[in-house]
Amino acid sequence: MDMSTKPAVSRGDVAIPQKIVDARVIVTCPGRNFVTLKIVTDQGVHGVGDATLNGRELAVVSYLRDHVIPCLIGRDAHRIEDIWQYLYRGAYWRGGPVGMSAIAAVDMALWDIKGKVAGLPVYQLMGGRCRDGVMVYGHANGESIDATLAAAKEYAALGYKAIRLQCAVPGLPSTYGVSKDKLFYEPADADLPTENLWSTEAYMRVVPELFARARAELGDDVHLLHDVHHRLTPIEAARLGKDLEAYRLFWLEDAVVAENQENFRLIRQHTTIPLAVGEIFSSIWDCKDLIQNQLIDYIRATVVHAGGLTHLRKIAAFADIHNVRTGCHGATDLSPVSMAAALNFDVSIPNFGIQEYMRHTDATDAVFPHAYRFEDGYLHVNETPGLGVDIDEDLAGEFPYRRAYLPVNRLRDGTMYHW
Ligand code: EZ4
Ligand code: CO
């Protein structure tokens, strides 16, 4: 991987711009789809940004190709904040997952370029390290409680300090988070959306049983987490929170739909279980009330879906003064480019909580050579200038886009439900 750097930007009092001369979108499917933006400057420096929006990839491709790239050519790549404001304010139509993922990709690529020019990893440009390593949680899942606990023990043996447990709900043909493939979980599994079935009653019975067994068999030292995936009403989530309190979870993730921020107040009135939400948020406006009213404990907004490092740092700073910590989304649809950006972010903010980490396939790792590494429950950024990740365009070209949707979910009577 060519991570070579250019000499420093300043020459006495003369700032040398890095003029953007080319920007292109690369779509590749090394097992799953990824959208990557590559920006090149007149001085031969390039940066990469992730623009993947699972199940709606080509909308972001068009947003970038048709509407963003023409505005980038000729601009100074060093003006990260100004370009961010230009794209956000300048669109008039603000926010939303498509637009904010596109802005995020530009933002990541520009930070990558700035780091390479400075000869420093991006975290150094954002204030330097606040910690040595990034605690991650792994995703243990299984068709039964026994199988889920066996998977959790494997994560513990690998050194994981935090493990999310998801087990199949008895009586349902499939369950969110439970994978056919033992090593990798990818919900966007079909050319048209798979139809899943949901039963809140059956789910609410099995989860407390899973965590009672988990605490008994895994001990008190490991952090345990669980993802509801937005499926409960506030009062159901309150009930589940109370049922799980004795098992001291690190967090309950996405307990209810995230559109109505008031929902969380009701859960809070009933239970002390720590709450996390935000993987689908696009900007601070989606979580401002949750944070300032301290209705959550962890904000899960990510670098790719929430406007890049520039905007995510503002969310984190706002969260910090309200005693809310971060827990960025990190499923497989976040490419190694996003993961590298997330790790630079995670080490450089004071209120980091935890980072989700799902392993990518070997093919994905080969398309996106990167320098971060996992050791003993922590991910570590590398000292490589920039983000420390790249895309092998030739190899990417060998994996053409394949349409893939996330599933949809219905109740037993056929009613459309939240997936
Ligand atoms: O369903 O990333 O915490 N992780 C998750 C993920 C999401 C996918 C959606 O693309 O909830 O598995
Ligand atoms: Co989740």
Side-chain angles (χ1 to χ4, degrees):
M1 135 179 65
D2 179 19
M3 292 285 187
S4 63
T5 59
K6 289 270 157 183
V9 65
S10 69
R11 192 182 59 204
D13 55 358
V14 184
I16 304 171
Q18 291 274 338
K19 201 169 145 184
I20 297 172
V21 290
D22 186 27
R24 54 184 178 272
V25 184
I26 303 145
V27 183
T28 182
C29 186
R32 65 163 343 286
N33 292 312
F34 293 108
V35 177
T36 309
L37 176 69
K38 180 167 178 173
I39 296 179
V40 185
T41 75
D42 60 344
Q43 294 175 51
V45 184
H46 76 266
V48 289
D50 183 18
T52 307
L53 184 61
N54 208 3
R56 294 292 186 273
E57 294 86 357
L58 300 186
V60 191
V61 173
S62 164
Y63 194 102
L64 283 167
R65 274 190 189 146
D66 299 331
H67 303 294
V68 170
I69 288 175
C71 303
L72 289 179
I73 305 301
R75 281 178 198 283
D76 180 4
H78 277 306
R79 298 184 59 165
I80 298 176
E81 179 73 40
D82 182 65
I83 289 175
W84 196 97
Q85 299 294 341
Y86 184 93
L87 295 173
Y88 181 78
R89 298 179 188 216
Y92 184 61
W93 313 106
R94 298 180 183 189
V98 175
M100 293 303 270
S101 299
I103 294 178
V106 174
D107 188 77
M108 276 184 250
L110 297 182
W111 278 104
D112 192 22
I113 288 170
K114 196 183 282 293
K116 287 178 180 172
V117 173
L120 291 169
V122 166
Y123 78 82
Q124 293 286 19
L125 305 179
M126 300 192 298
R129 266 182 202 280
C130 284
R131 60 193 51 78
D132 301 325
V134 170
M135 183 171 72
V136 297
Y137 68 87
H139 176 76
N141 66 90
E143 286 295 340
S144 63
I145 291 177
D146 283 336
T148 306
L149 295 183
K153 284 171 192 165
E154 284 175 26
Y155 277 100
L158 289 168
Y160 280 79
K161 310 289 180 255
I163 306 170
R164 189 172 72 183
L165 304 179
Q166 308 291 141
C167 82
V169 176
L172 298 184
S174 63
T175 305
Y176 164 75
V178 180
S179 178
K180 288 165 228 103
D181 186 326
K182 212 166 166 300
L183 278 179
F184 308 103
Y185 174 64
E186 177 44 62
D189 60 359
D191 180 50
L192 284 173
T194 306
E195 299 252 342
N196 288 354
L197 266 188
W198 177 250
S199 161
T200 296
E201 297 74 19
Y203 170 77
M204 297 269 285
R205 276 195 299 272
V206 74
V207 176
E209 199 185 326
L210 168 66
F211 280 89
R213 292 250 337 253
R215 262 303 166 230
E217 294 182 32
L218 302 172
D220 287 329
D221 290 338
V222 64
H223 294 304
L224 300 178
L225 299 81
H226 181 68
D227 189 353
V228 181
H229 221 252
H230 307 112
R231 290 176 185 189
L232 297 179
T233 65
I235 202 68
E236 289 163 351
R239 173 77 260 158
L240 184 65
K242 283 167 74 122
D243 288 349
L244 294 176
E245 267 176 22
Y247 315 119
R248 303 290 165 103
L249 268 61
F250 187 91
W251 79 31
L252 189 66
E253 178 174 329
D254 292 341
V256 293
V257 290
E259 294 97 316
N260 184 343
Q261 302 191 25
E262 265 310 294
N263 276 346
F264 284 83
R265 193 182 298 281
L266 197 141
I267 307 173
R268 267 291 203 242
Q269 283 165 355
H270 294 281
T271 173
T272 58
I273 196 166
L275 299 171
V277 74
E279 62 185 48
I280 64 166
F281 289 168
S282 313
S283 84
I284 195 160
W285 303 105
D286 294 328
C287 50
K288 176 180 74 69
D289 296 350
L290 287 175
I291 291 171
Q292 75 184 6
N293 296 318
Q294 281 156 264
L295 298 178
I296 55 170
D297 302 280
Y298 297 91
I299 178 67
R300 285 181 47 68
T302 64
V303 65
V304 55
H305 300 134
L309 291 163
T310 296
H311 193 66
L312 195 59
R313 270 157 49 83
K314 291 180 184 175
I315 295 177
F318 185 66
D320 184 36
I321 59 173
H322 294 94
N323 241 326
V324 172
R325 292 188 284 167
T326 65
C328 295
H329 188 204
T332 43
D333 45 316
L334 286 88
S335 87
V337 176
S338 271
M339 192 50 69
L343 295 176
N344 276 278
F345 166 81
D346 292 336
V347 296
S348 69
I349 55 163
N351 55 324
F352 167 76
I354 199 167
Q355 169 70 51
E356 178 177 6
Y357 173 49
M358 279 195 200
R359 290 162 295 208
H360 286 117
T361 60
D362 289 344
T364 297
D365 285 339
V367 168
F368 297 97
H370 54 267
Y372 60 79
R373 68 195 163 79
F374 174 86
E375 194 186 316
D376 196 31
Y378 295 87
L379 275 172
H380 296 276
V381 279
N382 187 272
E383 297 305 314
T384 314
L387 293 176
V389 63
D390 210 339
I391 184 164
D392 180 335
E393 288 189 71
D394 291 336
L395 191 57
E398 292 178 20
F399 302 103
Y401 169 78
R402 281 204 322 258
R403 191 173 69 190
Y405 282 93
L406 290 169
V408 296
N409 215 5
R410 289 185 191 277
L411 302 180
R412 290 189 195 280
D413 69 358
T415 308
M416 273 305 302
Y417 200 61
H418 318 290
W419 174 70

